Amino acid sequence: MTLLGTLSRLTGLLCLLAAASVAPAAELKHEGNRLLVIGQLDAETLPAFSEQLASGKVRTVVFEDAFGGTAEAAGAYAAAIRSSGVQTEVRGQCQAACAYAFLAAKSHRFGSGLQINGLLLPVAARPTAEEMATRWRGDDTHRTLAEFTAPAPAATPALVETGGSAPRENWRADHGVLFTSSPTLFGRVYNTFYCDGTQGRDFSKCELLSGADPYQLGVLTN
């Protein structure tokens, strides 16, 4: 695909992101053995999410247009996914908190269909090629989440009872590595971009990264 075509598709992605500037709390829906998580990851939906995964009836968690959430939610959703052994899938957009929950599964992929799929992984700084090669594989995925959490000034009473402290999200909006998958007549085209946050919602201004295939980097597994 030409650079012009790529920018055109990113403009379409921009429209989707702008429309979701006020993201609703997560909504859970069933499609057979697939559990759809739609909207922003939040603590309110977490008990129902964990219960569904613990039932053993869910094989795949599908994140659909999940435009972020808190770092606390990211860790909690990721823990539920790891313990249940389900696989994950992105349909549409998955950003920040959603992206880390997505990577918690051993098997994670983009969905098929005519939609543009996008995965925005927050980073503290532009990663080097060496960092990209291992950053989102295995335990490195879980350690990376720690970069974006800091202990809250004071723990809430509920967290004191469990011996924990509330993490405070520290990631910057629209800043990170963006993996996209766009449908074409010849199959899907994959691109990777670094967005420093200054572009706002105009992701067409992000830097195209060469040699950053999401399958080779472990961001997509199948």
Side-chain angles (χ1 to χ4, degrees):
M1 175 179 288
T2 65
L3 179 58
L4 180 60
T6 298
L7 293 178
S8 177
R9 291 195 176 277
L10 279 175
T11 300
L13 173 60
L14 165 63
C15 294
L16 290 174
L17 295 173
S21 56
V22 180
E27 176 184 1
L28 303 182
K29 290 184 177 181
H30 280 279
E31 287 184 354
N33 61 6
R34 297 156 66 85
L35 179 63
L36 273 61
V37 181
I38 307 168
Q40 182 169 297
L41 304 193
D42 65 327
E44 182 179 348
T45 313
L46 180 60
F49 177 78
S50 299
E51 182 179 353
Q52 294 292 339
L53 266 59
S55 71
K57 298 179 180 179
V58 177
R59 181 179 179 183
T60 304
V61 172
V62 181
F63 292 105
E64 181 173 326
D65 293 335
F67 293 90
T70 65
E72 181 180 13
Y77 275 78
I81 289 170
R82 283 195 299 271
S83 63
S84 66
V86 297
Q87 59 188 4
T88 54
E89 180 179 308
V90 167
R91 181 188 298 173
Q93 304 307 310
C94 176
Q95 298 183 10
C98 172
Y100 281 108
F102 166 78
L103 289 175
K106 290 184 178 180
S107 175
H108 32 85
R109 62 174 182 257
F110 277 163
S112 58
L114 298 178
Q115 77 282 345
I116 298 175
N117 297 320
L119 183 75
L120 181 65
L121 287 156
V123 294
R126 188 186 189 286
T128 64
E130 292 76 12
E131 290 172 332
M132 290 277 286
T134 60
R135 190 178 185 95
W136 298 296
R137 292 181 183 273
D139 290 339
D140 280 354
T141 301
H142 316 319
R143 285 197 293 268
T144 300
L145 179 61
E147 295 181 9
F148 304 97
T149 60
T156 63
L159 287 168
V160 170
E161 292 178 2
T162 60
S165 59
R168 179 175 52 197
E169 68 177 276
N170 192 37
W171 43 49
R172 293 160 46 196
D174 307 322
H175 175 232
V177 177
L178 174 66
F179 296 90
T180 66
S181 170
S182 304
T184 71
L185 293 176
F186 307 101
R188 283 193 165 266
V189 173
Y190 296 86
N191 285 294
T192 304
F193 304 85
Y194 171 66
C195 306
D196 63 9
T198 61
Q199 80 288 330
R201 293 288 179 175
D202 188 356
F203 285 86
S204 66
K205 296 180 179 178
C206 296
E207 175 190 356
L208 180 65
L209 299 179
S210 61
D213 182 274
Y215 287 98
Q216 294 181 358
L217 297 178
V219 173
L220 300 179
T221 61
N222 58 359

